[in-house]
Amino acid sequence: MAGTRKRLGDLLIESGLLSDEQLMSTLKDKPREQRLGDALLQRGYITEQQLIEVLEFQLGIPHVNLYRYPFDPKLFNIVPKGLAKQKMIVPLKKDGDKLFVAMADPMDYNTIEDLRLSTGFHIETAIASKDDITRTITRYYDDELFEDLTFEEPEDQQQQQQQEELVDNDSPIVRLVNQIISSAVSMKASDIHIDPQEHQVVIRFRIDGKLQTERVLPKHLQSTLIARIKIMGNLNITESRIPQDGRIKVTIDFRPIDIRLSTLPTVFGEKIVMRILDLSSSLNDLAKLGFGHTNLQRFLEEIEKPNGIILISGPTGSGKSSTLYASLNRLNNEEVNIITIEDPVEYQLEGINQIQVNPKVGLSFAAGLRSILRQDPDIVMVGEIRDKETVEIAIRASLTGHLVLSTIHTNDSVASISRLLDMGVEPFLLTASLNAIVAQRLIRRVCRDCGTRQPATTREKEIFARRGMEIEEINRGAGCAACNMTGYRGRIAIHEVLIINAEMRDAINRNASPSVLRDIAEKGDTIFLIDDGLDKVKQGITTTEEVLRVALIE
């Protein structure tokens, strides 16, 4: 049988999951020691679920779904947590002298043999996805923490002991906080919310833009939990009446993770939000941000101009920073001097001079920008335009031969023009300096593992018809373990690239209304947010509901 077994690449091509070109380019470019399956996953050609299904067929090893699997907690004592994490294995069940385990790589015979020797059982294997195994390890191996976390609020004589527990790496509270962060990173959460309530503390993760409850902790852990997080962020643990901001740097599974920490006093105690910045997964390629072909070409033309202002607009959490960083990464070379002023500096970029705003010492966006212009910059990035002073200095910089990139909080590209004029900027200065405005939103992707084609509803056909488009089928996710039964996994950006052409400049100088500006934009073939979103629905990337959640149809 082994001699007639088909190769993985051939099976993937036969199942229509891979093209010959994709297979050949992957085989050519991948490191020699890297497995083909891992290389294809890294390039995004296939999903882990698709790979597992093909391996199941190729190897004859069953695939197991760990979502809601009825685990026996006693088995977690047989396979130590360290070994489970390192080798990506989870014990499933025991049957006589056989131990059934789920593995990400069931061909790892060395691990199987080590497990047989250390446990004394015959090992039977099944395939499971890495994400599934990581979630299981995080959820079940750390349940023992709650057995240790039974102490009540400390009395005065126990203060010393509490202080020691807050910094001791083996203490239950330290392990609990580490486990919460590790779990959030493994589930690709962007934020961790710790919400104190009257009788409990709720831990919620924001995954793909939506908050979901991860666990509920007893109220008596609140003060110790918050104190530990504050110590990690170098905050004042005795001050609980005013908001505080801090930063935490940790390494999770050899990946550097940067966390922005914010505390806010509420009636039931301090609420904490931790924004997770995964330094290893920051997107540095503009082509991977979701730009449509036309929008990408227009945007690249604008950022390669020698001077002028380019603004990226959208609410908090719409991916503006990722687009800015990817733009700077593209422009970054030894021939240009790039300086940024940010609040805060989210990702540190090699070869770029980044300044952190510090209002306590008078270093505001405006003050920093004024100083930057004396540093002979070619390209300047201002984290956010918040006031008239900052925008006027940015205009002055663009008019004296600098390319200025910045963000502004508005609903769409045309609204950004109105916002700048409301700040008190003279129309003639704005038209002389502004090159383009990019409005951006993040929408959820349909899960590639459970997405199925379905006929479009009458309402959906009407929505597409109003934008001059047609639709017959919509791709929807039924919900599976890979996407936590949501039907969505991951996010992609939709864009609206407004080029400030001669007609638009003339209209701005005449103080034309937003509706007139929008008509001019439409005449200039601007692809609006709703159009870019509906185009991604046609491609099967997202759903109509997701697009209408962030963009208005007119």
Side-chain angles (χ1 to χ4, degrees):
M1 282 297 288
T4 58
R5 181 184 289 160
K6 288 190 177 180
R7 292 181 300 180
L8 176 64
D10 296 332
L11 283 169
L12 287 166
I13 289 172
E14 278 178 23
S15 12
L17 300 171
L18 199 66
S19 67
D20 285 316
E21 294 76 19
Q22 288 172 330
L23 176 61
M24 295 312 295
S25 69
T26 305
L27 288 170
K28 183 181 172 185
D29 298 338
K30 80 176 183 70
R32 192 172 177 181
E33 67 281 359
Q34 189 180 29
R35 286 190 173 90
L36 175 61
D38 290 338
L40 293 169
L41 286 175
Q42 191 177 319
R43 285 164 176 75
Y45 292 152
I46 57 172
T47 69
E48 197 170 5
Q49 191 64 34
Q50 289 166 343
L51 176 62
I52 284 171
E53 285 168 8
V54 171
L55 284 174
E56 183 179 10
F57 176 77
Q58 184 195 32
L59 304 173
I61 295 173
H63 161 230
V64 64
N65 189 338
L66 303 182
Y67 190 78
R68 294 180 181 157
Y69 188 89
F71 288 102
D72 179 358
K74 292 174 188 170
L75 292 183
F76 292 104
N77 297 324
I78 296 176
V79 181
K81 181 182 176 183
L83 180 66
K85 280 189 81 168
Q86 184 187 354
K87 301 295 185 180
M88 283 281 126
I89 52 177
V90 169
L92 296 172
K93 62 179 180 179
K94 193 170 65 170
D95 184 7
D97 65 345
K98 291 180 181 176
L99 178 66
F100 292 80
V101 296
M103 302 181 69
D105 179 10
M107 303 293 286
D108 186 352
Y109 297 116
N110 290 333
T111 297
I112 294 170
E113 183 62 16
D114 289 347
L115 209 54
R116 186 184 69 78
L117 292 171
S118 64
T119 63
F121 288 98
H122 288 294
I123 306 300
E124 295 283 343
T125 60
I127 313 175
S129 72
K130 286 181 183 175
D131 282 352
D132 235 1
I133 291 174
T134 303
R135 268 198 298 267
T136 303
I137 291 171
T138 303
R139 186 168 295 153
Y140 289 96
Y141 271 95
D142 291 293
D143 274 356
E144 66 200 44
L145 287 173
F146 296 100
E147 296 168 15
D148 301 331
L149 287 164
T150 53
F151 44 81
E152 296 293 329
E153 293 283 356
E155 302 295 333
D156 289 342
Q157 63 266 30
Q158 293 177 303
Q159 287 293 333
Q160 181 63 37
Q161 182 189 347
Q162 185 204 21
Q163 290 295 331
E164 290 171 5
E165 282 179 340
L166 289 173
V167 293
D168 177 7
N169 287 333
D170 291 325
S171 73
I173 196 68
V174 171
R175 285 161 53 212
L176 174 64
V177 172
N178 291 347
Q179 189 262 322
I180 289 170
I181 295 172
S182 177
S183 180
V185 171
S186 72
M187 293 172 77
K188 297 181 172 59
S190 60
D191 300 85
I192 302 170
H193 287 240
I194 297 175
D195 297 329
Q197 297 178 1
E198 190 172 4
H199 302 297
Q200 60 193 22
V201 180
V202 178
I203 313 289
R204 295 189 295 169
F205 293 167
R206 188 178 291 281
I207 299 172
D208 293 339
K210 297 278 188 178
L211 279 170
Q212 58 188 54
T213 300
E214 168 63 13
R215 64 175 47 168
V216 177
L217 298 177
K219 185 71 173 176
H220 70 259
L221 293 180
Q222 180 177 314
S223 62
T224 329
L225 178 72
I226 289 169
R228 169 59 192 164
I229 294 169
K230 282 181 160 186
I231 284 172
M232 292 174 77
N234 291 320
L235 302 184
N236 182 354
I237 65 170
T238 61
E239 180 56 80
S240 59
R241 297 162 300 171
I242 58 171
Q244 296 185 66
D245 293 308
R247 201 157 192 152
I248 300 172
K249 287 197 173 186
V250 291
T251 301
I252 306 284
D253 294 332
F254 309 105
R255 288 157 61 190
I257 305 291
D258 210 342
I259 296 172
R260 270 165 44 194
L261 177 63
S262 171
T263 74
L264 188 71
T266 70
V267 289
F268 296 125
E270 287 179 278
K271 173 178 167 63
I272 286 185
V273 175
M274 296 189 274
R275 164 67 58 89
I276 299 169
L277 305 169
D278 187 345
L279 303 178
S280 65
S281 71
S282 56
L283 280 169
N284 290 323
D285 186 353
L286 278 171
K288 293 178 182 175
L289 293 181
F291 276 99
H293 178 72
T294 306
N295 277 340
L296 181 61
Q297 293 303 116
R298 289 174 180 173
F299 186 62
L300 290 178
E301 283 174 20
E302 293 306 315
I303 64 171
E304 282 161 10
K305 287 183 177 176
N307 55 32
I309 296 176
I310 297 167
L311 292 178
I312 299 177
S313 81
T316 305
S318 58
K320 300 188 298 296
S321 296
S322 295
T323 305
L324 276 180
Y325 282 123
S327 306
L328 291 178
N329 195 57
R330 185 180 179 89
L331 297 168
N332 187 15
N333 63 61
E334 62 178 20
E335 296 172 3
V336 293
N337 177 21
I338 302 176
I339 306 179
T340 76
I341 179 157
E342 307 168 57
D343 183 23
V345 173
E346 290 190 2
Y347 297 108
Q348 283 148 21
L349 301 174
E350 190 76 32
I352 291 177
N353 308 286
Q354 294 170 275
I355 302 168
Q356 169 78 51
V357 165
N358 187 352
K360 291 176 185 172
V361 295
L363 181 54
S364 62
F365 278 119
L369 187 50
R370 206 176 280 112
S371 301
I372 285 172
L373 296 180
R374 293 195 285 270
Q375 289 280 321
D376 183 31
D378 297 292
I379 298 165
V380 176
M381 192 265 268
V382 184
E384 186 185 340
I385 285 181
R386 295 176 180 169
D387 51 45
K388 183 183 178 184
E389 188 182 8
T390 308
V391 72
E392 283 184 341
I393 302 167
I395 287 170
R396 202 176 311 143
S398 71
L399 292 175
T400 51
H402 305 93
L403 180 66
V404 180
L405 303 173
S406 190
T407 69
I408 188 166
H409 284 249
T410 54
N411 282 332
D412 57 36
S413 53
V414 173
S416 302
I417 296 170
S418 306
R419 173 86 179 98
L420 291 167
L421 294 172
D422 286 345
M423 283 183 184
V425 179
E426 292 292 342
F428 72 90
L429 282 175
L430 189 60
T431 54
S433 57
L434 192 59
N435 288 354
I437 301 169
V438 181
Q440 177 171 321
R441 295 290 188 284
L442 288 178
I443 53 175
R444 293 183 294 171
R445 287 174 174 268
V446 172
C447 176
R448 286 171 65 182
D449 291 326
C450 63
T452 53
R453 305 295 293 185
Q454 297 177 10
T457 64
T458 307
R459 171 70 178 140
E460 283 172 327
K461 288 179 179 179
E462 286 172 5
I463 290 167
F464 274 79
R466 283 172 66 180
R467 302 304 300 175
M469 302 163 82
E470 291 182 0
I471 187 80
E472 292 302 325
E473 287 187 323
I474 303 280
N475 190 25
R476 292 189 200 284
C480 64
C483 61
N484 283 325
M485 308 308 290
T486 61
Y488 298 97
R489 192 173 189 207
R491 288 191 290 176
I492 191 170
I494 56 172
H495 300 92
E496 176 177 302
V497 180
L498 175 65
I499 307 298
I500 309 300
N501 57 22
E503 192 178 355
M504 182 71 74
R505 292 181 207 281
D506 185 48
I508 294 169
N509 282 329
R510 289 188 282 105
N511 282 319
S513 68
S515 59
V516 172
L517 297 178
R518 192 170 177 86
D519 290 342
I520 294 169
E522 197 156 359
K523 211 179 350 173
D525 293 329
T526 299
I527 299 168
F528 295 108
L529 282 171
I530 186 74
D531 300 322
D532 193 31
L534 293 179
D535 186 53
K536 286 180 168 62
V537 174
K538 285 194 76 167
Q539 294 173 43
I541 296 171
T542 188
T543 60
T544 319
E545 294 90 343
E546 272 299 291
V547 176
L548 295 180
R549 185 173 60 82
V550 297
L552 295 172
I553 186 155
E554 299 193 0

